[in-house]
Amino acid sequence: MAMRGVDVQVAASKLNRLSHPGLPTTFATMDKQTKGTRKDRAAVKADEVTVDLIAFVVAVNDNEPCVLTIGQADTLPSGPFALEHRSLQSGLRGWVEQQTGHPLGYIEQLYTFADRDRIGSGRRQRAISISYLALTRKEQASGSPKCGWRSWYEYFPWEDHRSGTPPMLLDVLRPRLIEWANSVGDAAMRRERRQRAAMAFGFDDRHWNEELTLQRYELVYEAGLVQEAGSGRDTTRASLVPSKPMVADHRRIVATGIARLRSKIKYRPVVFELMPQSFTLLQLQRTVEALAGRLINKPNFRRLIEQQELVEETGETSVDTGGRPARLYRFRHAVLDETPIVGTKLPVARG
Amino acid sequence: MAMRGVDVQVAASKLNRLSHPGLPTTFATMDKQTKGTRKDRAAVKADEVTVDLIAFVVAVNDNEPCVLTIGQADTLPSGPFALEHRSLQSGLRGWVEQQTGHPLGYIEQLYTFADRDRIGSGRRQRAISISYLALTRKEQASGSPKCGWRSWYEYFPWEDHRSGTPPMLLDVLRPRLIEWANSVGDAAMRRERRQRAAMAFGFDDRHWNEELTLQRYELVYEAGLVQEAGSGRDTTRASLVPSKPMVADHRRIVATGIARLRSKIKYRPVVFELMPQSFTLLQLQRTVEALAGRLINKPNFRRLIEQQELVEETGETSVDTGGRPARLYRFRHAVLDETPIVGTKLPVARG
DNA sequence: TCCCTTATAGTCAAACGGATTATAATTGGA
DNA sequence: TCCAATTATAATCCGTTTGACTATAAGGGA
């Protein structure tokens, strides 16, 4: 944990971000951080701070998980938190609707970052970014001028394991990461880097864990294998791994959101925010698979859905399946008023 | 979900907080929220915003989970995020160490709130609060002047189920909540309120779920059964439930932190941040029980710890157990470099 | 010594989870 | 028309996990 904390810290500072949603820091980083911050509370005047709201909006179309972007560049919808906003959430909703014409449904706060000493209009100022995850359906798009949906796997090609392990993971990423690990002098640190890479990407007979999206992004970023638009980094060598960059640190926010979503679908029925009113069980499964980036065992998935009583039949059937017609289901909204499904992992004493 | 979202929103607005870590809002609240927030991005100037860092610091002493407070009032350590802070985390560490003399180890961001139109020095300004959860050990306290540890169950007496269901839950809370539910005219809303209360508190043969701490606090707050210091609320009637108030919305932050911690101990080995170097398995169990607020089955707990290989024997034994001496264990830090334990709940296809 | 306390090791049955097989109902083409 | 391909749906099998419980070991104190 200690060493992990240090390395995440290093990675983060390269991104000019010192707060990060990844693994928390611990004692190892404490000494350095606490120095130079002692000041009397009254003596600290309210410095210039701007607060930005930034949205990672997700929809699934044709079994492809998509992120809503604006402009020609790959940019997430965002805007400053202003006085007329009634709340953080309403401010975010306003910006997204204005920039994309897309009304938001489910919203969940992701993480708050602090930019480091952004120079604004002559004097130093801090920028705070509060990021949100939003789930919606594509058809609700009112076709706004300059916004679009892009598969999030364009930005994270190594995250899609639905057709097996992507070739580029073993052919490109692995050798580059090993090279990066070996490029450091200290033997212990070399081993530690290799182990981190192996754990995050499932090398060396380890299992692929789809929830480690953020750790993987931080790793490839730290290794200089990806480059973001507008960053002054000098990684112009051809050692970059093929993937689409985003503006500033938006790709990091997307990675945070993917990780959160992949974790959340396992204990909360949030998938249905992405589904149409009625759907077949296979459509539901394909949507989950799109998010998780891996295939799911069909009979077991159906059993899981049924025994949790998440859905109910509409009585109708879908014909456009290509084979036997499938029953159509709808989400049982009543489950939200019943016992919330949370993961218990402690041997609690019942009664 | 829709109705839930609405109600949480109401509860939040009473607290003068419109962002909340509880259940996310969904379509039901959308229309109201999006109104009046349309404005051109360039036209919005950077308004006055202050950013506060606020810490919920936890330690467990004598099997009692404690929160670190400052001053005579029940206040969490906090301070403004300032230019000289290298990051959000380092700013927080600085404030806590300065105000309490206590260095922090494990830190994790909790949630970001937005205060509503706080009036500061004549003109309107917004206040943003970024809250953190910190885990530490009490012995590291250098005995700072005016800070102290208090059991968090003083603020949430209904949360401690280690000695069975607290009497006040059924004797006081339940009738008051039913009364609150019945005080509304609409029959459907009455039923909805009763159901919410039953779900959160485990009434009517439902199981107690220790992770719903925040929902429970929001419920008793919304029902006017608790009152915070400095709030202008008029709930001065004797209908208050016996519990200790905190300053402003600090109790809500603590509730958020307790919920997060109770959830996290189930899938990440964070308990050890609260343990001394070496400990017996029963001490470890008692610490988890203190956090979870409920008893754990002893043999099963030991089996769980052992099969996950979280600890290793130190070789020594503890004598002050009152019975047969117990082996002493220490945390296996290596597990953090091994496959991270995350809760899989999807029937993924292996291989 | 007896009794109390706690530690530690084991058992047992039910539930869960992953994998597989079997059967049903449709479409499209030979 | 009949067969092949495709998808839906039901059912089974079995090893693992999990909750509840029992039994034995090892210390202290009256």
Side-chain angles (χ1 to χ4, degrees):
Chain A
M1 175 63 89
M3 294 304 286
R4 171 66 37 70
V6 170
D7 270 305
V8 172
Q9 202 73 10
V10 172
S13 68
K14 287 189 183 173
L15 244 185
N16 283 346
R17 302 276 174 174
L18 281 175
S19 306
H20 47 81
L23 298 172
T25 54
T26 181
F27 291 109
T29 58
M30 199 178 55
D31 294 334
K32 280 176 285 181
Q33 294 200 334
T34 43
K35 283 197 187 109
T37 58
R38 302 204 183 200
K39 228 181 177 184
D40 188 54
R41 179 166 189 161
V44 178
K45 73 172 199 303
D47 292 309
E48 292 280 322
V49 180
T50 64
V51 174
D52 271 329
L53 303 171
I54 182 161
F56 171 42
V57 186
V58 176
V60 176
N61 312 110
D62 302 324
N63 300 334
E64 209 52 34
C66 293
V67 49
L68 183 59
T69 58
I70 60 171
Q72 17 277 26
D74 299 87
T75 310
L76 298 180
S78 70
F81 180 52
L83 266 179
E84 69 267 25
H85 292 143
R86 304 219 334 274
S87 68
L88 294 173
Q89 292 207 6
S90 75
L92 184 89
R93 287 195 146 92
W95 285 122
V96 172
E97 192 165 353
Q98 178 191 325
Q99 293 174 10
T100 71
H102 207 92
L104 294 186
Y106 178 98
I107 277 189
E108 162 179 339
Q109 196 180 96
L110 267 181
Y111 204 77
T112 301
F113 303 88
D115 258 350
R116 184 160 200 187
D117 297 334
R118 181 201 288 175
I119 306 295
S121 65
R123 59 182 187 282
R124 292 167 83 209
Q125 67 176 23
R126 306 299 285 256
I128 303 264
S129 302
I130 309 178
S131 58
Y132 281 82
L133 165 67
L135 305 182
T136 187
R137 303 171 184 91
K138 188 182 179 183
E139 62 253 35
Q140 287 167 349
S142 32
S144 194
K146 42 190 184 178
C147 72
W149 295 98
R150 310 206 71 105
S151 169
W152 74 35
Y153 293 124
E154 292 180 28
Y155 307 100
F156 303 93
W158 54 84
E159 292 288 340
D160 189 1
H161 286 231
R162 286 175 293 176
S163 314
T165 302
M168 63 96 72
L169 214 173
L170 295 176
D171 298 346
V172 183
L173 262 175
R174 199 165 110 94
R176 297 271 166 82
L177 283 168
I178 291 176
E179 182 187 353
W180 164 74
N182 290 337
S183 70
V184 77
D186 183 32
M189 196 168 281
R190 270 203 301 276
R191 222 188 98 268
E192 210 257 327
R193 281 185 170 187
R194 276 198 304 267
Q195 193 165 24
R196 268 218 295 155
M199 190 169 88
F201 288 92
F203 298 146
D204 310 334
D205 291 327
R206 267 174 252 238
H207 277 166
W208 172 261
N209 185 337
E210 74 274 7
E211 293 184 32
L212 302 181
T213 306
L214 179 60
Q215 283 92 323
R216 286 189 282 268
Y217 174 76
E218 283 179 342
L219 213 43
V220 295
Y221 187 92
E222 187 179 342
L225 304 180
V226 293
Q227 188 167 18
E228 303 302 345
S231 83
R233 304 215 310 172
D234 59 343
T235 323
T236 39
R237 336 172 244 157
S239 68
L240 289 179
V241 155
S243 67
K244 210 163 190 295
M246 294 191 89
V247 152
D249 64 338
H250 289 196
R251 210 164 163 196
R252 161 183 287 264
I253 291 172
V254 170
T256 307
I258 293 175
R260 175 80 128 264
L261 188 51
R262 283 181 170 180
S263 166
K264 195 134 201 174
I265 50 175
K266 292 178 181 171
Y267 60 94
R268 279 286 167 82
V270 286
V271 214
F272 301 101
E273 305 282 342
L274 301 164
M275 301 297 296
Q277 272 298 318
S278 72
F279 46 84
T280 71
L281 289 185
L282 186 59
Q283 284 170 348
L284 182 63
Q285 178 180 344
R286 293 282 177 250
T287 302
V288 174
E289 288 175 339
L291 300 176
R294 67 189 306 173
L295 295 182
I296 294 176
N297 182 289
K298 185 149 117 178
N300 295 348
F301 177 77
R302 297 159 76 65
R303 181 175 61 188
L304 187 75
I305 298 295
E306 282 160 18
Q307 80 186 11
Q308 294 189 210
E309 301 180 304
L310 293 175
V311 298
E312 60 191 1
E313 301 185 23
T314 67
E316 300 168 4
T317 55
S318 165
V319 214
D320 51 353
T321 55
R324 169 176 170 176
R327 294 183 217 183
L328 285 173
Y329 293 84
R330 77 170 72 90
F331 177 49
R332 271 189 63 240
H333 285 273
V335 301
L336 297 169
D337 300 328
E338 298 164 7
T339 300
I341 309 107
V342 284
T344 171
K345 188 68 178 172
L346 283 179
V348 292
R350 298 234 181 275
Chain B
M1 175 62 89
M3 294 305 287
R4 170 68 37 67
V6 170
D7 271 303
V8 172
Q9 200 72 10
V10 172
S13 68
K14 286 190 183 171
L15 244 186
N16 282 348
R17 302 277 173 172
L18 281 175
S19 305
H20 47 83
L23 298 171
T25 54
T26 177
F27 291 109
T29 59
M30 197 178 56
D31 294 335
K32 281 177 284 181
Q33 293 201 334
T34 43
K35 286 200 186 105
T37 57
R38 303 202 182 200
K39 226 180 178 185
D40 188 55
R41 179 163 188 162
V44 178
K45 74 172 200 305
D47 293 307
E48 293 280 323
V49 180
T50 64
V51 174
D52 271 330
L53 304 171
I54 182 160
F56 170 40
V57 186
V58 176
V60 176
N61 312 109
D62 301 324
N63 300 335
E64 209 50 34
C66 292
V67 48
L68 183 59
T69 58
I70 60 170
Q72 18 278 26
D74 300 88
T75 310
L76 299 179
S78 70
F81 181 52
L83 264 178
E84 69 265 26
H85 293 143
R86 304 217 336 273
S87 67
L88 293 174
Q89 291 207 6
S90 75
L92 185 89
R93 287 195 147 92
W95 284 122
V96 171
E97 191 164 355
Q98 177 191 324
Q99 293 174 11
T100 72
H102 206 92
L104 293 186
Y106 179 97
I107 276 189
E108 163 180 336
Q109 197 182 97
L110 267 181
Y111 204 77
T112 300
F113 302 89
D115 257 350
R116 185 163 199 184
D117 298 333
R118 182 200 287 174
I119 306 295
S121 64
R123 60 181 187 282
R124 293 167 83 212
Q125 67 175 20
R126 304 301 286 256
I128 303 262
S129 302
I130 309 177
S131 58
Y132 280 83
L133 164 68
L135 305 183
T136 185
R137 303 172 184 88
K138 188 181 178 182
E139 62 253 34
Q140 289 166 350
S142 31
S144 193
K146 41 187 182 172
C147 73
W149 295 98
R150 309 205 71 103
S151 168
W152 74 35
Y153 292 124
E154 292 180 29
Y155 307 101
F156 303 94
W158 55 84
E159 291 289 339
D160 188 0
H161 286 231
R162 286 176 294 175
S163 314
T165 303
M168 64 95 72
L169 215 174
L170 296 177
D171 298 345
V172 183
L173 261 175
R174 198 165 112 94
R176 297 272 164 82
L177 283 169
I178 291 177
E179 182 188 353
W180 165 74
N182 290 336
S183 70
V184 78
D186 185 31
M189 199 170 277
R190 272 203 301 275
R191 221 188 99 265
E192 211 258 327
R193 282 186 170 184
R194 277 199 303 267
Q195 192 165 24
R196 269 219 293 156
M199 190 169 87
F201 288 92
F203 298 145
D204 309 335
D205 291 326
R206 268 172 251 240
H207 278 165
W208 172 261
N209 185 336
E210 73 275 7
E211 294 184 34
L212 303 181
T213 306
L214 179 61
Q215 283 93 323
R216 284 188 285 268
Y217 174 76
E218 284 180 341
L219 214 42
V220 295
Y221 186 92
E222 189 179 341
L225 304 180
V226 293
Q227 188 167 18
E228 304 301 346
S231 83
R233 303 215 309 170
D234 58 345
T235 323
T236 38
R237 340 171 241 158
S239 67
L240 289 179
V241 155
S243 67
K244 211 163 189 295
M246 295 192 88
V247 151
D249 64 337
H250 289 195
R251 208 162 164 201
R252 163 183 286 265
I253 291 172
V254 171
T256 307
I258 293 176
R260 174 79 128 266
L261 188 51
R262 283 182 171 180
S263 164
K264 195 136 200 171
I265 50 174
K266 293 178 180 170
Y267 61 94
R268 278 287 167 80
V270 287
V271 214
F272 302 101
E273 305 283 342
L274 301 165
M275 300 297 296
Q277 273 297 318
S278 71
F279 46 84
T280 71
L281 289 185
L282 187 60
Q283 284 170 347
L284 182 64
Q285 179 179 343
R286 293 281 177 250
T287 303
V288 174
E289 288 175 338
L291 300 176
R294 65 190 305 172
L295 295 181
I296 294 176
N297 182 290
K298 184 148 118 177
N300 294 349
F301 177 77
R302 298 164 72 81
R303 180 174 61 188
L304 187 74
I305 299 295
E306 281 161 18
Q307 80 186 11
Q308 293 188 211
E309 301 180 305
L310 293 176
V311 297
E312 61 191 0
E313 300 185 24
T314 67
E316 300 169 5
T317 57
S318 164
V319 214
D320 50 355
T321 56
R324 170 177 170 177
R327 294 182 216 183
L328 285 172
Y329 293 83
R330 76 170 73 90
F331 177 51
R332 273 190 62 239
H333 284 274
V335 301
L336 297 170
D337 299 329
E338 298 165 6
T339 301
I341 308 108
V342 283
T344 171
K345 188 68 178 171
L346 283 180
V348 294
R350 300 233 180 276

